[in-house]
Every structure is written in C-alpha cells, then in structure tokens.
Amino acid sequence: MELELINKALEFEQRKMRGLSTSDRVKISREAKALILDLNQIYKIKKDQKLMDIMKRLTAIKRKVEKRLKGPLIV
C-alpha cells in the first residue's frame, strides 16, 4: 500500500502539464490534494524525510496548477 502510493505520486510528478483544459486542471489539483493527504498519513507514522520531499514537490505542482485556474489578479 505504502510503496504503491509513493509510486503513484512519482508517476503523477512525471506527467506532462502542458495544454490542459480547465477541467483537466481541476482534476490534477484534486488528485494532487488526495495524494498529499494520503502521504501525510504515512508521514505522521514514519517521519521519513523522503515522504516530506515528495509532498513538497506535489504541493508545488498543485499551487502552480491552481494559480493558473484562478487567473490573473485584478488590482
């Protein structure tokens, strides 16, 4: 289970994120959030720094996608 989840997260990182529709971006954001939360449950028990590094990278991807979803800020 744990190894399967880590592999799924690493595959997610390798995906191409170009030319995505809005619905694709929403799906990616939700999938990233689910992966991060699942990895966090394992991290709470194991305290493995590698898990934390994966979660940080996934969070960066998630933020980038969400930034694009929200559009430009109008001041």
Side-chain angles (χ1 to χ4, degrees), residues 23-64:
S23 63
D24 290 339
R25 292 181 197 285
V26 170
K27 287 176 190 173
I28 286 171
S29 176
R30 289 179 181 165
E31 185 177 351
K33 181 178 180 180
L35 284 169
I36 292 165
L37 292 174
D38 291 343
L39 286 170
N40 191 40
Q41 293 302 316
I42 297 170
Y43 178 77
K44 286 179 185 177
I45 298 166
K46 301 247 180 184
K47 304 291 186 204
D48 185 2
Q49 188 60 38
K50 291 177 186 175
L51 287 174
M52 179 57 77
D53 293 339
I54 293 170
M55 287 191 295
K56 285 179 182 178
R57 293 193 308 262
L58 291 178
T59 301
I61 292 170
K62 181 176 174 286
R63 284 182 181 161
K64 188 175 180 180

Side-chain angles (χ1 to χ4, degrees), residues 7-18:
N7 287 335
K8 193 173 179 182
L10 294 175
E11 283 177 24
F12 179 83
E13 273 188 284
Q14 300 304 317
R15 280 193 207 158
K16 302 224 184 243
M17 303 280 179
R18 293 176 183 249

